[in-house]
Amino acid sequence: MADVLPLVEARLRTALGEPDARAAVTFLGTDRVEVLRFQAGDIVRYATLGMSAQPMADPTAVIADPVAGPRAELVLSVRTGLADTDKVLRPLAVLAASPQVEGVVVAPGASLDVGEPLWPGAPFTSVLVAEPGGLVEDLELDEPMEPVRFLPLLPMTPNEAAWKRVHGAQALQERWLTRETDLRHPARASVALD
């Protein structure tokens, strides 16, 4: 089996350009996770690199399949110059390591919570995992490996996260869309949830 990560990094470079910074985080008992930063005008994008090295395993499976299973990387886009968003590197690495550490399968519609602000002063402690395929196309791999999906992360305020648990991810996304919420603003207020 070919090493997946060089192919993933090549796909990220094709879609987002050259990264202007990268950081690596290693957690005890897990593979190293890197976070690459891509600058594009007034938007900065952070993409994980390392989460897709192993397939995500069904937490109920007795033995994890080393080949088959979903693979993903995470992508977060925010406006620059409005907050110290570079401090999001460690929380993003924590989220990317969660399949190995906690045995979760990260998929669209899921909520991921880091339990602290994503960056200093951020009104967000969690993210909504959005549908892939928009910014970075899926990376097809040789059978029987599943493609690597690049999952956008949408920061949620605690009120939005609680509302989403009751009404669902689709309803929250529709609320954001109807209210023309700037999901890339690093200090935005919670959308009206009345």
Side-chain angles (χ1 to χ4, degrees):
M1 293 289 160
D3 187 4
V4 171
L5 296 184
L7 302 173
V8 170
E9 185 168 356
R11 175 58 53 95
L12 286 168
R13 287 172 185 266
T14 300
L16 305 176
E18 285 300 309
D20 66 351
R22 65 193 309 147
V25 180
T26 306
F27 302 99
L28 187 63
T30 66
D31 295 331
R32 173 176 135 143
V33 174
E34 287 188 272
V35 179
L36 283 58
R37 184 180 71 191
F38 300 88
Q39 192 76 42
D42 70 336
I43 301 292
V44 62
R45 292 190 169 90
Y46 302 94
T48 62
L49 179 62
M51 182 177 171
S52 62
Q54 305 293 327
M56 293 181 273
D58 178 347
T60 61
V62 178
I63 298 175
D65 190 317
V67 178
R71 294 175 189 257
E73 295 291 352
L74 307 175
V75 181
L76 173 70
S77 301
V78 291
R79 295 199 184 288
T80 58
L82 302 171
D84 187 8
T85 56
D86 280 350
K87 297 286 196 286
V88 78
L89 301 179
R90 184 167 176 75
L92 267 182
V94 167
L95 296 177
S98 63
Q100 285 185 55
V101 175
E102 299 172 25
V104 297
V105 175
V106 177
S111 299
L112 303 175
D113 196 317
V114 293
E116 61 186 35
L118 293 176
W119 51 81
F124 320 107
T125 61
S126 63
V127 293
L128 175 65
V129 181
E131 290 291 333
L135 188 59
V136 184
E137 287 183 33
D138 292 353
L139 172 64
E140 296 294 330
L141 300 173
D142 295 335
E143 292 286 340
M145 294 189 287
E146 291 185 31
V148 176
R149 301 167 81 198
F150 298 88
L151 302 171
L153 300 180
L154 308 174
M156 291 188 293
T157 66
N159 285 346
E160 291 170 338
W163 197 85
K164 181 252 175 195
R165 280 192 294 277
V166 174
H167 300 281
Q170 185 65 38
L172 178 59
Q173 288 178 301
E174 286 171 10
R175 177 66 53 111
W176 281 334
L177 193 58
T178 333
R179 304 291 169 106
E180 298 180 354
T181 307
D182 182 359
L183 296 174
R184 294 176 177 171
H185 197 295
R188 72 170 176 83
S190 183
V191 69
L193 299 169
D194 47 4

